[in-house]
């Protein structure tokens, strides 16, 4: 096993661990953060596999945009729930 194969194996292991963690976490806000880590590990894997264009796309969408949209959605749902609770208490 040469150095390249070892690096690919390490990246694949990190992707598997972070993907498992993303599935195991139940709270949406924390899940978004773990999803960002998963996006970073996938971007590293794509870079190692010599696909820099895919890595850049993964970095932008999978590591930044998707977790940000999830966090904003969770925030809006929680805020709307508080407003509904206040209106029901009147």
């Amino acid at each position: 096993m040469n150095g390249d194969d070892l690096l690919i194996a390490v990246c694949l292991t990190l992707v598997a661990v972070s993907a498992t963690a993303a599935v195991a976490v139940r709270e949406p806000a924390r899940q978004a953060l773990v999803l960002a880590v998963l996006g970073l590990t996938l971007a590293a894997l794509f870079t190692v596999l010599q696909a820099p264009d895919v890595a850049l796309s993964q970095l932008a969408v999978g590591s930044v945009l998707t977790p940000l949209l999830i966090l904003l959605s969770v925030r809006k749902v929680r805020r709307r729930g508080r407003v509904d609770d206040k209106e029901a208490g009147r």
Side-chain angles (χ1 to χ4, degrees):
M1 186 179 232
N2 63 16
D4 290 339
D5 291 340
L6 182 62
L7 188 58
I8 291 171
V10 168
C11 285
L12 283 172
T13 303
L14 289 174
V15 167
V17 168
S18 59
T20 303
V23 172
V25 173
R26 293 290 180 201
E27 185 182 341
R30 289 185 185 193
Q31 196 172 37
L33 295 175
V34 176
L35 190 63
V37 172
L38 174 60
L40 287 173
T41 58
L42 280 170
L45 177 65
F46 293 143
T47 302
V48 168
L49 295 175
Q50 299 179 0
D53 51 342
V54 179
L56 285 173
S57 297
Q58 176 62 37
L59 195 60
V61 176
S63 298
V64 178
L65 189 61
T66 303
L68 180 64
L69 288 175
I70 292 171
L71 286 174
L72 290 174
S73 298
V74 167
R75 182 177 173 205
K76 183 155 186 132
V77 166
R78 286 182 181 168
R79 184 181 296 166
R80 184 172 293 180
R82 281 189 237 137
V83 169
D84 291 344
D85 289 343
K86 286 180 184 177
E87 290 176 359
R90 287 189 204 179

